[in-house]
């Protein structure tokens, strides 16, 4: 059965950006983060160059996007985070230090949720309605935590290609699904010594265009 979009629309597109900066590197490799300027500078390109470049593009195209920002990034790159907010884009929660959520128990995840929400409120005056789990890693108890904290939707899972509902002990949560094919990280993120190669942008544009045309139909 065809999915029924509101107002007779045929499909919907979300442009979204994860503004992680150095947060995940500090969480996952704290010892290396104390000595590796190369790794830190690679991750500082986003706040130093990438954010404003994306904001200029969105402004030129008159589009609004969703930015998912860890609490640590807000605290350490506050001017850029404020520019995202002031440009009218949605700001969603994205962990506190881009934690490996799969390594957390429910109590730890609940505590981190409170920390990131406090940062977004205190520094940006934002109470987010959307959440994207770091690395799209979601535990079976995560939907309930999100519902209890007032979230309207999650966007971390791949169980459908249209929005659907996730059950939880406190009611259903809307899932706005993602997919690796439409994510830039597997295509452009260079990992030294890995077998993955940086993709040709022209090939990526062709792939994404074909995927959109198929999903729109």
């Amino acid at each position: 059965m065809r999915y029924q979009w509101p107002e007779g629309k045929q499909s919907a597109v979300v442009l979204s950006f994860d503004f992680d900066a150095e947060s995940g590197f500090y969480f996952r490799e704290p010892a290396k983060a104390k000595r590796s300027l190369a790794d830190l500078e690679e991750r500082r390109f986003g706040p130093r160059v990438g954010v404003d470049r994306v904001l200029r593009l969105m402004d030129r195209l008159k589009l609004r996007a969703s930015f998912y920002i860890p609490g640590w990034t807000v605290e350490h790159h506050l001017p850029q985070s404020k520019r995202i907010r002031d440009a009218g884009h949605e700001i969603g929660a994205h962990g506190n230090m881009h934690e490996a959520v799969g390594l957390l128990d429910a109590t730890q995840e609940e505590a981190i949720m409170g920390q990131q929400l406090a940062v977004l409120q205190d520094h940006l005056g934002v109470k987010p309605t959307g959440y994207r789990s770091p690395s799209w890693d979601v535990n079976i108890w995560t939907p309930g935590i999100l519902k209890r904290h007032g979230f309207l939707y999650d966007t971390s899972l791949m169980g459908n290609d249209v929005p659907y509902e996730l059950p939880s002990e406190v009611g259903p949560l809307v899932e706005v699904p993602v997919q690796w094919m439409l994510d830039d990280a597997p295509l452009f993120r260079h990992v030294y010594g890995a077998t993955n190669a940086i993709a040709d942008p022209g090939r990526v544009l062709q792939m994404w265009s074909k995927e959109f045309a198929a999903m729109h139909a």
Side-chain angles (χ1 to χ4, degrees):
M1 180 178 177
R2 182 181 294 274
Y3 184 80
Q4 296 298 312
W5 291 100
E7 302 175 3
K9 299 295 192 297
Q10 186 168 338
S11 63
V13 174
V14 176
L15 295 175
S16 64
F17 302 89
D18 296 353
F19 180 24
D20 301 336
E22 309 101 306
S23 60
F25 183 52
Y26 277 118
F27 178 82
R28 292 176 182 269
E29 300 185 65
K32 189 176 182 182
K34 292 179 180 179
R35 59 180 174 80
S36 178
L37 182 60
D39 281 292
L40 290 169
E41 283 296 290
E42 181 180 351
R43 288 157 176 82
R44 288 167 180 161
F45 181 89
R48 191 177 288 147
V49 179
V51 166
D52 286 332
R53 186 171 288 171
V54 169
L55 290 177
R56 288 194 301 270
L57 176 65
M58 295 295 102
D59 183 64
R60 187 166 70 248
L61 297 175
K62 295 180 171 53
L63 295 173
R64 292 293 176 265
S66 297
F67 288 77
Y68 300 94
I69 314 178
W72 185 96
T73 302
V74 171
E75 290 181 306
H76 290 82
H77 300 289
L78 186 57
Q80 294 88 341
S81 299
K82 285 183 175 180
R83 288 200 290 275
I84 293 169
R85 178 201 62 189
D86 294 345
H89 301 288
E90 178 190 16
I91 292 178
H94 193 45
N96 202 44
M97 283 198 69
H98 206 273
E99 294 84 3
V101 175
L103 301 179
L104 305 176
D105 61 29
T107 301
Q108 292 169 323
E109 189 174 347
E110 182 90 42
I112 288 170
M113 185 67 67
Q115 292 168 7
Q116 64 188 291
L117 291 176
V119 170
L120 290 172
Q121 180 63 53
D122 293 346
H123 289 74
L124 298 177
V126 169
K127 179 176 173 53
T129 59
Y131 172 80
R132 173 169 289 164
S133 179
S135 301
W136 296 347
D137 194 5
V138 177
N139 293 311
I140 58 172
W141 51 78
T142 304
I145 292 176
L146 294 173
K147 286 287 290 187
R148 286 193 294 274
H149 284 276
F151 285 91
L152 300 180
Y153 76 90
D154 172 68
T155 175
S156 314
L157 301 174
M158 306 183 197
N160 209 323
D161 54 12
V162 293
Y164 63 104
E165 289 188 341
L166 296 171
S168 83
E169 68 278 10
V170 287
L173 178 73
V174 172
E175 178 66 31
V176 180
V178 295
Q179 56 165 294
W180 285 117
M181 184 183 293
L182 296 177
D183 181 43
D184 63 343
L187 299 164
F188 295 116
R189 181 171 180 253
H190 173 66
V191 181
Y192 184 75
T195 57
N196 64 309
I198 296 173
D200 170 23
R203 169 180 161 267
V204 175
L205 176 60
Q206 181 186 55
M207 180 176 68
W208 284 351
S209 298
K210 288 183 175 179
E211 184 69 8
F212 168 75
M215 295 182 76
H216 181 69

